[in-house]
Amino acid sequence: MAAPVVAVTVSTLRGLAGRPVTPSGWRLLLDVLFPVVLQGRASTAELAARFYIEQRPALDRPAPPLDPPSYQRDALDRAVARTARTRLRDRASSRAAISDTAAVVTRHVMQAGRDVLVTAAQTDRVRWARVPTGRETCAFCWLLASRGPVYRSADMTRWHDRCDCLVVPVHNPDDWEGRATFLAAQRLWRDSTEGKSGRDALNAFRRALTRSPDPTAT
Ligand SMILES: [Zn+2]
C-alpha cells in the first residue's frame, strides 16, 4: 500500500540531496509528493472501510460513515520539513533524512485507514485492539497490544513512524482477527511481569521482548 509512496519519496529526495534546498525546489518536492500521498491515503482508507464492513456483524443499525478524514498539504509540508529540510543538503545526514521522510510519509498514508477504523468503531460503540503485524514492533506497541480490545477513542492513540500496528475493531471478543497475537502478547506480559509493577514491570517486559522479539512465535 505504501510502497509507491516510498518509491516516489526516495527518488524525489535523492534528486534534491547534497545541496541546499531552494524554496522552489521545496515547492516542487511537495507538488510531487502531495498527490501521491493523497492517492495512498485514499487506498488505505478504502481498504480499511472494506475490512470494517467485512468484519462487522449484521446489526440493527446502518454501518457508520467510513469516509477518510481530510488531509492538507500543510500537514505534509510540516512533517517533511522536520525530517528533510535541513538534513538533506549534507551527504552525511541525507541518507537518514530520506529514510526518515519515507517513514513519516508512510505513517501519513496509513493514518487514513487507522482513522477510518477508529472513527467507525467509535460510532458503532465497539472497542478496538492494536495488532502488531511485523518485524519492527517496539515494546510500547506490544504493551498496548497486550491489553487487547480495550481502546475506545482516538485520544490515547499514538502512532509512531515505522509502526506496523493495525486497528482491529472487535465486535465479538471471542472471535476477531488478531486475537491470537493479542493472547501471545498478553501471555508474555503476564509471565514476564509477575510480581512487578510500574517501571519494573515495563523493563521486565522489554527484556522478555529482547529475548523473544516475536511473542507469537513461542
Ligand atoms: Zn506499533
Side-chain angles (χ1 to χ4, degrees), residues 11-196:
S11 67
T12 314
L13 289 176
R14 270 191 194 146
L16 291 169
R19 55 187 187 277
V21 185
T22 62
S24 64
W26 190 257
R27 265 197 308 280
L28 199 69
L29 169 66
L30 288 171
D31 286 346
V32 173
L33 287 189
F34 186 57
V36 183
V37 172
L38 275 186
Q39 182 57 52
R41 287 176 56 90
S43 304
T44 56
E46 198 193 310
L47 210 67
R50 217 178 304 153
F51 174 64
Y52 192 80
I53 293 299
E54 265 168 29
Q55 51 80 56
R56 186 181 192 263
L59 297 171
D60 54 6
R61 53 183 187 275
L66 295 158
D67 307 314
S70 69
Y71 182 73
Q72 310 299 329
R73 185 172 156 126
D74 263 6
L76 181 65
D77 193 337
R78 276 196 306 275
V80 175
R82 255 197 312 275
T83 52
R85 189 135 201 177
T86 58
R87 295 157 75 207
L88 209 53
R89 80 172 74 118
D90 292 318
R91 222 165 236 298
S93 56
S94 68
R95 273 181 87 99
I98 291 170
S99 148
D100 291 350
T101 306
V104 77
V105 166
T106 300
R107 176 166 57 79
H108 282 212
V109 166
M110 290 175 73
Q111 195 61 43
R114 287 169 176 155
D115 286 342
V116 163
L117 291 166
V118 168
T119 307
Q122 221 169 320
T123 311
D124 262 342
R125 277 181 252 108
V126 296
R127 304 195 180 196
W128 54 273
R130 185 165 180 137
V131 180
T133 59
R135 303 153 297 183
E136 287 199 65
T137 306
C138 59
F140 169 74
C141 285
W142 275 119
L143 171 67
L144 296 179
S146 75
R147 297 188 175 150
V150 295
Y151 302 108
R152 265 208 249 232
S153 60
D155 51 31
M156 68 158 309
T157 318
R158 280 191 288 157
W159 307 100
H160 57 88
D161 292 348
R162 301 181 175 88
C163 178
D164 55 33
C165 296
L166 299 176
V167 170
V168 177
V170 176
H171 292 274
N172 177 359
D174 297 324
D175 179 20
W176 50 280
E177 207 163 315
R179 186 164 178 269
T181 304
F182 149 59
L183 292 174
Q186 187 188 52
R187 202 178 318 122
L188 186 69
W189 171 264
R190 284 183 180 159
D191 293 350
S192 63
T193 65
E194 216 184 327
K196 299 185 171 70

